[in-house]
Amino acid sequence: MMNLNYEQLFEENPSPTMPISFYLEPPGTADPFARLKYLETIEISSEGEYGIGATIQNVGYGNVSKVKLQYTINDTLTSVHNFSVNLGVFETKTVYFWKKWNATLGTHAIEIELVNVNDSITDVNTSNDKATKSVEVKSGLTKRMSLFEVGTSVTCPPCATYVPPYVEMVDSIHGAIAMTYQGEFNPSGSDHPMYHFSQSAIDTRISYYGLTGWPSTWINGIGDEENGGGLHPANVTESDVYANTDTVSYINLCIEHSGINASNEASINVKLTSYEDLNLANAKLRIAVVENDIEYSVAPGSNGEKHFTSVMRYMLPNATGTVLPTTIAANTPFEVTETVTLDLETVEAENLHVIAFIQDDETQEILQANITESALSATSGTHCNWLLNNVELPQEITEVVDFNVYPTTTSSLVTIEINSDDKEAGVLNIYNQLGQRISTQTIALNKGLTKTQVNVSHLPEGQYILETISGSIAG
């Protein structure tokens, strides 16, 4: 899967319809015309019209001015089109069929084929000029948001070293949410203000994970699976964060808030919609209010930290959470509304945001999460997981025969070494700079390495392309 800037994508186009792209690229050697090597398509999150296109590359020695392409849906020819491309050697161009595909729910086979080049010249190797990809049309597909929970303490010296840069890294990556629990192992001997403000919720979450030392982190509820407990933040890399955010989900969490009333109350509604039937034996919906920016003039603990971000302040209705039904039917929303009374002498409303997440209490895995972009101080706000219309899945469909040619400059004999998976007949073709086949011969291929010599002394001086074909495999 590719890393996409989903925030920018959806700001620029709230309801994108992305093309299904088939890539026509060279297999590495020898075919003088465009060839199909990679097929790129999408898992579609909704019905509707989708464009289908192809990227073409000319790997011959002559100009390709036109190509003829066609595509079929479920073995039904849907569109045939001639494209003017004007491609020089190794140049590429992306083209789109004028007729779009009207996608319906279900699984469909899409096939695209290169029919001919320059109106009349048929590609010399048609065995790999088409490919089929299965495309599944879902009723909904969302970007999965990943929650990175951190157990930390102001009395822990390593926490001051490792937690701030870790939280900053997580919060800088789109699709990742950080939430810290400012804890204490010795509550009676501490005046830790953040801990005592949220003591019950912090103790519940620390006990839930069995935390035994600071600092510790859990990624979507999963800690150190080999040794138990949480992961040390120093052992979580940026690549780890990206790996956990580059995924999709069929669950959509929408968080809605309506501002703060005169009694300092904020109402929060969370709506869960699954685009497939959801079976949850031990799942809970948990809602947290976090404060994103806390600054103390004097460090509140012995490790010297004064600035804190993504600090959990409230959990609604509590840290235990709300039990979800064991079955939630597809496209049937399940809603929870909670009210929190804010201590605005301690917390700053403009820095408060809401996090909602679904957690399987049997495995502790978090299945989906979300966070509000606007603060609770805003008049209102609704924040849903992004509905995706494209998840790109490149797939290589052409195998390449492993072969070596030497010397590359000669006036007599060239030696060709070919590795083949089977004992079978092969074909060796030679093309000139215009892409014309000027020689062809049969080669007996052994399983494994085959070495043969070709006499090229009769050929005029110039550059030539050698192509080997073994069954349906070409190189």
Side-chain angles (χ1 to χ4, degrees):
M1 296 191 184
M2 298 176 63
N3 290 323
L4 301 177
N5 187 334
Y6 289 100
E7 184 174 21
Q8 180 180 354
L9 172 67
F10 280 81
E11 283 180 355
E12 295 176 353
N13 188 347
S15 182
T17 298
M18 304 300 290
I20 300 168
S21 297
F22 294 77
Y23 280 63
L24 295 167
E25 296 182 349
T29 55
D31 193 338
F33 302 118
R35 306 221 321 201
L36 184 58
K37 186 180 182 184
Y38 290 97
L39 169 65
E40 183 178 284
T41 187
I42 63 177
E43 187 175 21
I44 297 170
S45 65
S46 60
E47 297 179 284
E49 287 193 331
Y50 290 84
I52 294 181
T55 298
I56 304 165
Q57 184 173 35
N58 174 19
V59 296
Y61 285 93
N63 184 68
V64 174
S65 59
K66 295 180 180 179
V67 294
K68 186 176 183 179
L69 301 174
Q70 67 183 33
Y71 78 87
T72 61
I73 305 293
N74 300 326
D75 296 324
T76 300
L77 184 62
T78 304
S79 181
V80 181
H81 195 72
N82 288 299
F83 297 95
S84 296
V85 290
N86 295 320
L87 294 176
V89 178
F90 297 116
E91 290 183 343
T92 62
K93 185 172 184 177
T94 300
V95 294
Y96 295 96
F97 289 90
W98 66 269
K99 187 174 182 179
K100 294 184 176 182
W101 171 42
N102 187 19
T104 56
L105 294 179
T107 301
H108 306 273
I110 303 180
E111 181 180 88
I112 191 168
E113 182 177 4
L114 173 67
V115 180
N116 67 44
V117 179
N118 290 347
D119 284 335
S120 59
I121 302 176
T122 302
D123 191 350
V124 296
N125 180 15
T126 59
S127 64
N128 57 4
D129 284 350
K130 62 182 178 180
T132 301
K133 179 69 177 180
S134 177
V135 177
E136 188 172 7
V137 183
K138 296 284 190 180
S139 60
L141 188 68
T142 65
K143 169 73 173 173
R144 182 182 181 183
M145 299 285 282
S146 290
L147 182 61
F148 295 74
E149 297 169 275
V150 186
T152 183
S153 176
V154 296
T155 59
C156 156
C159 295
T161 302
Y162 296 109
V163 172
Y166 175 70
V167 172
E168 182 180 5
M169 175 184 69
V170 170
D171 282 338
S172 70
I173 295 175
H174 192 69
I177 304 169
M179 179 164 64
T180 65
Y181 303 118
Q182 296 288 337
E184 268 298 341
F185 285 141
N186 183 21
S188 61
S190 168
D191 58 358
H192 182 345
M194 289 178 288
Y195 170 69
H196 288 295
F197 186 86
S198 312
Q199 181 174 344
S200 176
I202 291 171
D203 286 347
T204 299
R205 292 303 284 171
I206 287 176
S207 175
Y208 178 85
Y209 284 124
L211 185 146
T212 57
W214 320 108
S216 294
T217 185
W218 295 266
I219 303 174
N220 285 326
I222 307 301
D224 188 337
E225 295 181 281
E226 292 186 5
N227 304 309
L231 297 162
H232 195 290
N235 296 328
V236 180
T237 66
E238 188 177 75
S239 297
D240 295 327
V241 179
Y242 276 115
N244 282 277
T245 57
D246 193 20
T247 56
V248 296
S249 172
Y250 299 114
I251 300 172
N252 193 356
L253 284 177
C254 289
I255 307 172
E256 183 177 6
H257 60 88
S258 54
I260 302 170
N261 64 22
S263 299
N264 294 339
E265 295 174 333
S267 178
I268 299 166
N269 175 269
V270 178
K271 181 169 68 174
L272 182 166
T273 304
S274 176
Y275 299 115
E276 290 190 343
D277 289 344
L278 199 59
N279 297 308
L280 304 169
N282 299 285
K284 300 242 182 87
L285 170 67
R286 294 186 165 99
I287 303 170
V289 178
V290 297
E291 190 167 7
N292 279 355
D293 190 13
I294 302 175
E295 187 76 38
Y296 291 93
S297 57
V298 177
S302 59
N303 70 1
E305 276 189 275
K306 296 180 181 180
H307 183 248
F308 304 86
T309 59
S310 303
V311 177
M312 188 278 292
R313 288 300 209 173
Y314 304 92
M315 294 199 75
L316 309 173
N318 49 50
T320 301
T322 300
V323 177
L324 292 174
T326 55
T327 301
I328 298 177
N331 300 303
T332 304
F334 175 84
E335 296 188 52
V336 172
T337 300
E338 299 289 348
T339 300
V340 57
T341 301
L342 303 172
D343 179 358
L344 295 181
E345 292 185 359
T346 303
V347 300
E348 295 184 1
E350 61 270 21
N351 288 328
L352 296 178
H353 295 259
V354 180
I355 294 174
F357 57 101
I358 300 170
Q359 190 162 26
D360 184 334
D361 277 354
E362 184 174 343
T363 64
Q364 297 186 331
E365 181 184 4
I366 293 173
L367 308 176
Q368 180 64 293
N370 204 358
I371 186 171
T372 58
E373 295 180 14
S374 62
L376 276 181
S377 58
T379 304
S380 64
T382 301
H383 309 273
C384 300
N385 295 114
W386 293 289
L387 188 67
L388 305 181
N389 273 12
N390 69 311
V391 178
E392 300 184 35
L393 305 172
Q395 180 188 34
E396 184 172 343
I397 61 166
T398 300
E399 298 180 69
V400 179
V401 172
D402 180 15
F403 78 103
N404 185 34
V405 179
Y406 60 89
T408 55
T409 302
T410 184
S411 60
S412 56
L413 297 174
V414 294
T415 299
I416 302 175
E417 295 179 346
I418 306 171
N419 279 309
S420 177
D421 291 336
D422 297 295
K423 182 178 181 179
E424 57 186 335
V427 176
L428 173 66
N429 294 319
I430 301 177
Y431 300 92
N432 63 18
Q433 297 182 40
L434 299 177
Q436 299 169 329
R437 183 170 55 189
I438 59 173
S439 174
T440 186
Q441 67 182 74
T442 302
I443 306 172
L445 297 177
N446 299 315
K447 184 175 182 179
L449 181 66
T450 300
K451 183 183 292 188
T452 187
Q453 287 189 319
V454 178
N455 188 348
V456 295
S457 60
H458 62 289
L459 298 178
E461 183 178 339
Q463 292 182 320
Y464 297 88
I465 295 174
L466 276 69
E467 176 188 49
T468 62
I469 302 176
S470 169
S472 62
I473 303 175

